[in-house]
Amino acid sequence: MASIAPTAGGQYFWVSMLSPVKYRRFASYITGWLTSIAWIAVLATGSVFVGTIWQGLIILDNDSYKPQKWQGTLLCWAVLAVAVFINTVVSGLLPMIEGIILMLHVLGFVAVIVPLVYLSPHGSAASVFKTVLNEGGWPTQGISYCVGFIGNVATFVGADAAVHMSEEIENAALNVPRAILTTMILNGATGFAMVLAILFCLGDPETVLMSPTGFPFIQVFYDGVKSKAGATVMASIVVALAWCAVIGFLATASRMIWSFARDRGLPFHRSISKVEPRASIPIIAIAIVTIIPALIALIYIGSPTVFEDVVSLSTSGLYMSYFIPCSLLLWRRTTGQVQSYSAHASDGSETIPELVSAFAASSPTSEVAQPELAWGPWHLPGAVGIINNTYACIYILFVLFWSFWPPLTPVTAQNMNYSVLMTFSAIAFSIVYYFLWGKKQYKGPLVERDAGTDVGSKDTKQDSDGAVTKMAQDGDKKG
């Protein structure tokens, strides 16, 4: 889908394209709200995560330090402040900064894994591959595995990040899918290697889990290298990389709500959809996605458990936003409703396939009509694609089902997983808002119709004031 329609709206735009005409406006609206709220939750999660790791390092290096939750919130705000600075003041340097982050990512992996593996005592292969734990008190090991599996799933949330930056990327129909796949391969390989290294160097699980730092990996580093300075350097690399991720989270979240506001899907859409003309960045959207996580971080002071329940939307919300277009695409492709890419690439150049078949004749912009879908230059053809699509739908349903389970038994009010409440409350709110106010403004994604210009080849879309906004200053940005 990122190759068919690389647009900042991502999932809700795709749902509008793929849904039956009768339901597409409602379905895309709910998807837009889910994606917007989920990305704000991702930003809140990431910023608090970095802030509290920072606090954990202080605990490691200062035995007299007594950590306070309000200090973790202040550190979270500091993390957000740096992310805002990079996304606004030096936003023009963001591509270069991201290149530096990639190098830091690879070099940091080496800098952590080499001393850890070389200096730490190693466990046996049997302790890594044959030892199973059921710390949640579940009746079977299978249930324990499924409940614990969700913690790992969260690390794969956000695969759509590059999609929401599509309108600022050259040749997005190819480069966005490449970025997604490359990221998964690189992070999957390095992540799996790091997991094996941690497990072989784990030592006593109870000691690690009861670490005063609050983060078992910091304890593993310290136990392995037997040096606070060494463990601090290694953990600081993790902090730096996670901080860099927060910078990306903020960029993605702001583009997501900017795009949804541009299509009149949010309250105060006229203001949120404005773009700062000199830097071509959605400054108000950036402010909103910063202020909300900063306020959510205040909940952490009162109750970390409540905070975790609030930000649980980062997993369930995003996976729901993945499932809706994924299932609709499966329906379209199994019923033969997607044309080949070659039928639309008449000149052999890498262009975005035509998204719509007709537009209103009297207006320079119009709602997306029932599209003649065609594959982009990047897709899995035939039966292979159907199998992959089917597996994705089954996998997402599996993740969603288990993401609502409590982490352990017996279940109490304190350890209950309230993510199901938060997720469906968000859905209920978006439905109520849609019928009371939303449907009066939101008509679905709006696409520019310019005489003599192929639809989908421009980087401009209508904003809430009826003006045309431009997110990029140079090149043929696609979206």
Side-chain angles (χ1 to χ4, degrees):
M1 288 307 303
S3 187
I4 293 176
T7 173
Q11 292 95 307
Y12 81 86
F13 190 97
W14 302 338
V15 169
S16 183
M17 290 172 56
L18 296 168
S19 297
V21 175
K22 183 179 179 181
Y23 305 107
R24 69 181 183 199
R25 182 151 60 115
F26 174 75
S28 67
Y29 188 81
I30 302 304
T31 305
W33 268 98
L34 270 176
T35 312
S36 300
I37 294 173
W39 267 109
I40 292 174
V42 168
L43 181 57
T45 303
S47 56
V48 170
F49 179 67
V50 176
T52 50
I53 295 179
W54 195 351
Q55 199 172 23
L57 286 177
I58 299 174
I59 295 172
L60 175 67
D61 293 321
N62 187 352
D63 295 333
S64 63
Y65 172 64
K66 302 298 182 183
Q68 302 295 325
K69 292 184 178 67
W70 63 266
Q71 295 168 340
T73 295
L74 288 179
L75 292 171
C76 160
W77 290 353
V79 172
L80 285 172
V82 173
V84 170
F85 177 82
I86 293 176
N87 275 276
T88 55
V89 179
V90 294
S91 60
L93 300 177
L94 193 57
M96 183 185 70
I97 293 172
E98 290 173 341
I100 295 173
I101 291 172
L102 176 60
M103 290 188 290
L104 176 64
H105 182 68
V106 176
L107 295 175
F109 167 76
V110 176
V112 169
I113 200 170
V114 169
L116 178 65
V117 172
Y118 183 74
L119 297 174
S120 301
H122 297 167
S124 65
S127 69
V128 174
F129 296 106
K130 293 184 179 180
T131 301
V132 293
L133 299 174
N134 185 353
E135 298 298 304
W138 296 102
T140 68
Q141 190 61 43
I143 295 178
S144 177
Y145 167 82
C146 292
V147 173
F149 178 76
I150 301 305
N152 301 314
V153 164
T155 61
F156 289 96
V157 161
D160 58 313
V163 173
H164 302 296
M165 302 296 292
S166 293
E167 296 174 37
E168 299 165 73
I169 296 175
E170 294 284 357
N171 197 12
L174 273 176
N175 287 331
V176 169
R178 282 174 180 165
I180 295 173
L181 183 61
T182 303
T183 300
M184 285 296 179
I185 292 174
L186 177 61
N187 289 334
T190 56
F192 183 69
M194 187 61 72
V195 166
L196 288 180
I198 291 289
L199 290 176
F200 273 103
C201 303
L202 185 64
D204 179 29
E206 290 298 326
T207 302
V208 171
L209 291 173
M210 298 302 294
S211 172
T213 66
F215 291 91
F217 78 88
I218 297 179
Q219 191 66 42
V220 172
F221 290 170
Y222 176 61
D223 293 343
V225 300
K226 301 296 189 295
S227 166
K228 287 187 177 181
T232 299
V233 171
M234 294 165 68
S236 295
I237 294 173
V238 176
V239 171
L241 292 173
W243 206 327
C244 293
V246 171
I247 295 170
F249 294 162
L250 192 148
T252 299
S254 62
R255 270 57 172 190
M256 175 59 219
I257 74 160
W258 167 80
S259 179
F260 199 37
R262 181 181 58 180
D263 292 326
R264 305 172 184 175
L266 294 176
F268 311 108
H269 55 80
R270 288 184 174 85
S271 298
I272 299 173
S273 62
K274 291 184 182 298
V275 175
E276 203 284 321
R278 290 172 296 179
S280 291
I281 56 174
I283 193 70
I284 296 178
I286 289 174
I288 290 173
V289 301
T290 302
I291 292 171
I292 294 176
L295 294 176
I296 292 175
L298 292 173
I299 299 175
Y300 178 80
I301 300 175
S303 173
T305 301
V306 175
F307 170 80
E308 292 171 3
D309 291 332
V310 171
V311 299
S312 62
L313 274 167
S314 60
T315 298
S316 57
L318 279 182
Y319 273 96
M320 280 189 176
S321 77
Y322 299 158
F323 177 75
I324 298 172
C326 192
S327 58
L328 289 170
L329 178 62
L330 180 61
W331 163 61
R332 289 278 192 173
R333 74 192 307 167
T334 53
T335 54
Q337 299 182 53
V338 187
Q339 300 180 27
S340 66
Y341 169 66
S342 58
H344 288 261
S346 58
D347 60 354
S349 61
E350 303 295 353
T351 59
I352 301 174
E354 186 173 313
L355 300 182
V356 296
S357 57
F359 288 87
S362 59
S363 173
T365 57
S366 65
E367 180 184 352
V368 175
Q370 185 64 33
E372 293 180 3
L373 292 173
W375 294 116
W378 183 291
H379 73 283
L380 288 175
V384 176
I386 293 175
I387 293 171
N388 179 72
N389 205 163
T390 303
Y391 171 77
C393 290
I394 295 173
Y395 172 78
I396 294 172
L397 288 175
F398 176 84
V399 168
L400 288 172
F401 176 77
W402 291 105
S403 69
F404 299 133
W405 281 56
L408 51 84
T409 58
V411 180
T412 65
Q414 287 70 36
N415 65 27
M416 176 62 185
N417 184 352
Y418 293 98
S419 62
V420 62
L421 174 63
M422 297 305 303
T423 302
F424 286 96
S425 294
I427 294 174
F429 171 80
S430 62
I431 292 175
V432 171
Y433 190 87
Y434 173 79
F435 284 107
L436 291 181
W437 297 284
K439 68 177 181 179
K440 300 174 184 177
Q441 295 289 337
Y442 182 74
K443 306 300 180 183
L446 302 173
V447 178
E448 183 181 11
R449 181 183 64 82
D450 189 7
T453 304
D454 289 337
V455 174
S457 66
K458 296 182 67 65
D459 62 344
T460 54
K461 291 180 71 180
Q462 184 184 30
D463 68 7
S464 303
D465 295 305
V468 171
T469 60
K470 185 175 182 181
M471 286 292 291
Q473 292 176 310
D474 58 344
D476 289 323
K477 303 292 191 286
K478 296 183 172 66

